[in-house]
Amino acid sequence: MDHDGQRGSSTPSVVLPSLLSKRAKLQEELRNIERQVYDMETSYLQDPSQCGNVLKGFEGFLSSSKNTALLKRSRKFQPEDRLFSLSSVTSPAAEEIAAGRDDGKSDYGPGRPKGGGYFANGQGKPKKGRAREAKRMRHSSEPDFDYDDDPDVAPSLFRFLCSDFPRLSRREYLSYPLPPAAPALVKGILISFRMNILEKLKMQKKEPDEGKAPKVEVPVHWLETSDSVTRRYEFEPDGYLSVKVVNDSRPVYHRVVESFLNKFFPSGYPYSVNEGYLRYTQFRALQHLSSAALSVLSTQSLLFAAGLRPTPAQATAVSWILKDGMQHMGKLICSNLGARMDSEPKRWRILADVLYDLGTGLEVLSPLCPHLFLEVAGLGNFAKGMAVVAARATRLPIYSSFAKEGNLSDLFAKGEAISTLFNVVGIGVGIQLAATLCSSMQGKLVVGPLLSIIHVYSVVEEMRAAPVNTLNPQRTAMIVADFLKTGKVSGPADLRYREDLLFPGRLIEDAGNVKVGRALHKVVKPSKLNEWKEMFPEEKFVLSHGNKWCDMLLEHNATAEDALRGWLVAAFAARMEKSLNEPIGSVLQDAYDRMNTMFTPFLSELQAKGWHTDRFLDGTGSRFVF
């Protein structure tokens, strides 16, 4: 209100000079802006380094080869190409066109309208192509913006076109944000051009250049010579490396040995297997040879015993079928002992071969009592059935102990190849013995036991050579005892010859005389159990000290790490009890604290030696659940 009162009270002679002064300042500012736009537009349209512009298009931007001669030459343009300057009727470009129209000159060349090229004002006749472009760039539904109201539109847009845009790569341009103040018409042009680039890039990806010759991939290969052997190494197209012997000047003996190793030993031998594999394989071959020879003698004896029976052939056939049925019965019974075989695979492998030799021996003796053919042969087949299941069940843990580079399948395949080879050799030896030394019953009674002794001895040596790396009660006790004595952790190869293969459950005093797997109700009273869990709530083991040994009970989800922790606590407590002459209950907490201080480095060294600490194989030992 005060402002209106002042205006009303002011005389026109006072207000008019002030308004004229403001108008002059605005006109001067407008002329400066228009001159700035004019200069930037001229630089943009004449810049030879550009691959195009918003008026002529950007076809050169997509071209991979540029004509440098054309780029060095400045571009020619007409006044009507000044799209941004002509948006203002007072710009220098508009004044030039007006001056040319007044003089009656045409600045636009042949075919251009004589009264200016900006046909939106109705003067002159636009070209058909330009009219089509205008229709394509601007829809009837778009509002008619008055760009004179915002003098910063043109400078900001030209700053984008002249400074930012020429430095952008294709991918950068496709994600470059448009100037927020850009006119709708120019935005439409840039967006259209952007879509054109995307389409052409897609076409370039889908359609390879027809002018370019297809690339010929040259295989990468090289020759290596070592030990008088030249090998050619080459990378296949699928990425695999192929090796081919080009020249081999070694003696025939060396070539035969290498061929044998390639067929019957894992790839990369001896570096791809653990220590002891060669000794294991040697005794395995001897085992299969003696077993096959003994099998031939037993089969001969069975046929002989069946022929001596004073019964019709039909009854003999029925007895033979019943004999084979007893073998299946033995397989079913032995299948229930799988958990024990996981814990002690070596022991059960030896027991399997002892049972096999026992069954074979009964078959060899069957001619001495032909009237008891079904009983003797059936019992022999029953023992052999149990032996087959135990041997097959323990095969995988033994092979796994030798796998060093995840090559378990290769080990299994080559091991079976060796078994097959020496089974065939053993059958030949058995046929020769049956025709000579063992043609009589006396010969069988002499050769049979010898072959059985060789067979069992070979199996024992096989198992002693195998470095089984899973933790069971016996191996855990030996590791703890060695650690407390020497401060070092023994590896699987260090313990393989010290394991008790026949009686693995023996107690080790240096490891605390720990016994695992007894039933909970036979070992701990409920009150003692609650007291233990209150003292060590986070542990998954329970210790109960008796007069002769210490019982350790494990929870159902306890791992080998939990068993090792309990074993160390029991061993430390036993040592403190002897040295301090104090009851075991009073030193239990000190033993637990000592275990915690050294368990982490102990476990790290244990895993570095190759032991598996994710599971503890205690056979069919009892476990508890709270």
Side-chain angles (χ1 to χ4, degrees):
M1 293 297 293
D2 295 338
H3 179 68
D4 292 341
Q6 289 180 2
R7 286 188 59 187
S9 61
S10 301
T11 59
S13 60
V14 176
V15 176
L16 183 59
S18 176
L19 294 177
L20 290 175
S21 176
K22 290 182 180 180
R23 177 186 176 188
K25 289 182 181 180
L26 292 174
Q27 287 177 344
E28 182 64 24
E29 185 179 353
L30 178 60
R31 279 194 296 270
N32 292 335
I33 293 174
E34 290 173 341
R35 174 53 62 181
Q36 184 183 2
V37 171
Y38 183 88
D39 294 339
M40 294 176 67
E41 190 175 39
T42 302
S43 175
Y44 173 67
L45 295 175
Q46 288 183 343
D47 188 0
S49 64
Q50 297 290 337
C51 299
N53 54 53
V54 294
L55 297 175
K56 302 297 184 181
F58 294 91
E59 296 299 329
F61 186 71
L62 294 174
S63 175
S64 58
S65 62
K66 299 180 181 179
N67 191 337
T68 57
L70 291 176
L71 290 177
K72 292 179 180 179
R73 186 171 65 243
S74 298
R75 285 193 174 88
K76 293 182 180 181
F77 62 93
Q78 301 297 332
E80 74 167 357
D81 293 336
R82 296 182 176 276
L83 177 65
F84 296 93
S85 293
L86 291 178
S87 62
S88 176
V89 295
T90 59
S91 66
E95 293 176 358
E96 290 177 1
I97 292 177
R101 186 167 56 248
D102 294 340
D103 294 340
K105 298 178 181 179
S106 175
D107 297 330
Y108 316 114
R112 293 186 178 271
K114 192 179 177 181
Y118 209 71
F119 45 82
N121 56 8
Q123 298 176 0
K125 185 178 180 181
K127 286 182 68 176
K128 294 182 179 179
R130 194 166 298 279
R132 283 195 299 270
E133 290 181 8
K135 291 179 180 179
R136 192 163 55 243
M137 292 186 293
R138 181 171 181 174
H139 300 281
S140 60
S141 60
E142 293 181 359
D144 187 9
F145 294 101
D146 186 2
Y147 304 132
D148 296 336
D149 294 338
D150 190 357
D152 293 330
V153 169
S156 62
L157 182 59
F158 269 103
R159 192 175 299 110
F160 161 72
L161 292 173
C162 298
S163 61
D164 295 339
F165 179 76
R167 295 193 298 268
L168 297 180
S169 63
R170 295 181 185 179
R171 295 188 180 276
E172 290 173 341
Y173 171 74
L174 295 176
S175 60
Y176 194 91
L178 294 177
L185 179 62
V186 178
K187 280 188 177 180
I189 294 174
L190 295 179
I191 292 173
S192 176
F193 169 64
R194 180 176 294 185
M195 299 304 296
N196 187 21
I197 287 181
L198 286 173
E199 292 177 2
K200 292 197 174 185
L201 286 176
K202 290 179 181 177
M203 294 299 295
Q204 288 177 0
K205 290 181 180 179
K206 293 180 180 178
E207 300 177 3
D209 297 337
E210 297 180 357
K212 294 183 180 179
K215 291 183 179 180
V216 179
E217 294 185 0
V218 179
V220 179
H221 67 275
W222 65 94
L223 299 177
E224 291 186 7
T225 303
S226 62
D227 298 333
S228 303
V229 182
T230 302
R231 295 179 175 86
R232 185 177 189 269
Y233 295 83
E234 180 178 344
F235 281 106
E236 301 292 346
D238 54 4
Y240 289 96
L241 180 66
S242 64
V243 183
K244 183 178 180 181
V245 177
V246 179
N247 184 25
D248 191 351
S249 57
R250 295 175 300 171
V252 177
Y253 168 75
H254 292 289
R255 281 184 274 177
V256 171
V257 170
E258 183 180 3
S259 178
F260 179 83
L261 291 177
N262 290 336
K263 288 180 173 60
F264 295 99
F265 282 78
S267 300
Y269 175 84
Y271 307 105
S272 61
V273 295
N274 285 320
E275 183 180 351
Y277 183 75
L278 178 60
R279 183 176 178 85
Y280 168 82
T281 304
Q282 291 171 343
F283 282 100
R284 181 174 174 80
L286 183 59
Q287 171 219 337
H288 281 280
L289 190 149
S290 57
S291 175
L294 192 59
S295 177
V296 172
L297 299 182
S298 67
T299 303
Q300 183 191 41
S301 298
L302 283 174
L303 294 174
F304 186 70
L308 291 178
R309 296 184 68 198
T311 54
Q314 184 177 4
T316 301
V318 171
S319 298
W320 196 278
I321 294 173
L322 292 176
K323 171 188 74 71
D324 290 341
M326 292 295 291
Q327 183 175 7
H328 297 299
M329 185 65 67
K331 291 180 179 180
L332 291 175
I333 292 176
C334 193
S335 63
N336 296 326
L337 305 175
R340 296 179 183 271
M341 297 177 192
D342 282 330
S343 177
E344 296 290 347
K346 294 184 177 183
R347 180 192 183 193
W348 281 93
R349 184 68 177 86
I350 295 173
L351 182 60
D353 284 272
V354 171
L355 286 173
Y356 186 86
D357 287 351
L358 178 62
T360 304
L362 289 174
E363 293 177 347
V364 171
L365 296 176
S366 60
L368 298 179
C369 47
H371 58 286
L372 298 175
F373 171 79
L374 179 59
E375 291 81 359
V376 174
L379 186 60
N381 256 20
F382 179 81
K384 290 172 72 173
M386 296 183 65
V388 168
V389 173
R392 290 177 179 175
T394 56
R395 190 178 303 169
L396 188 59
I398 300 300
Y399 278 132
S400 300
S401 65
F402 289 109
K404 191 175 182 180
E405 300 176 351
N407 53 345
L408 181 59
S409 297
D410 191 19
L411 276 168
F412 192 88
K414 297 302 173 59
E416 294 307 300
I418 290 177
S419 301
T420 302
L421 173 64
F422 284 92
N423 272 331
V424 173
V425 175
I427 289 174
V429 172
I431 292 174
Q432 186 67 25
L433 289 174
T436 54
L437 296 176
C438 301
S439 57
S440 63
M441 191 64 195
Q442 291 80 3
K444 290 186 179 70
L445 292 178
V446 174
V447 174
L450 289 177
L451 290 175
S452 181
I453 291 172
I454 294 174
H455 182 216
V456 174
Y457 173 75
S458 299
V459 174
V460 172
E461 290 301 317
E462 279 182 61
M463 297 301 103
R464 286 166 59 86
V468 178
N469 51 8
T470 54
L471 291 176
N472 66 354
Q474 181 181 194
R475 286 188 285 273
T476 304
M478 294 171 69
I479 290 172
V480 171
D482 291 348
F483 179 72
L484 295 182
K485 284 182 180 180
T486 64
K488 298 180 180 179
V489 176
S490 302
D494 302 325
L495 300 183
R496 52 182 176 158
Y497 288 110
R498 294 165 48 194
E499 290 186 65
D500 191 338
L501 301 181
L502 298 180
F503 305 101
R506 63 185 177 88
L507 300 177
I508 300 178
E509 185 178 357
D510 293 332
N513 288 328
V514 178
K515 182 178 288 188
V516 183
R518 294 183 68 194
L520 179 66
H521 66 278
K522 295 181 180 179
V523 176
V524 183
K525 296 180 180 179
S527 58
K528 292 288 185 181
L529 182 61
N530 293 331
E531 180 182 348
W532 174 271
K533 295 305 291 184
E534 290 177 0
M535 186 182 302
F536 309 113
E538 302 297 329
E539 298 299 337
K540 296 182 179 181
F541 63 87
V542 174
L543 297 178
S544 177
H545 289 80
N547 295 328
K548 295 182 179 180
W549 62 75
C550 173
D551 285 292
M552 183 169 67
L553 305 174
L554 297 173
E555 290 190 22
H556 72 288
N557 59 347
T559 63
E561 295 184 18
D562 300 308
L564 286 167
R565 292 173 67 87
W567 223 294
L568 286 172
V569 171
F572 285 138
R575 283 196 165 195
M576 292 178 182
E577 182 185 12
K578 287 184 178 180
S579 61
L580 301 177
N581 293 323
E582 294 183 4
I584 195 70
S586 59
V587 298
L588 201 57
Q589 184 63 49
D590 295 336
Y592 181 80
D593 296 337
R594 188 175 178 185
M595 179 273 298
N596 275 331
T597 58
M598 62 177 56
F599 184 74
T600 300
F602 169 73
L603 182 63
S604 300
E605 190 175 354
L606 196 75
Q607 293 172 343
K609 292 284 187 178
W611 293 104
H612 293 298
T613 59
D614 55 337
R615 57 189 179 275
F616 183 72
L617 304 176
D618 52 348
T620 56
S622 299
R623 294 199 178 192
F624 68 93
V625 180
F626 273 101

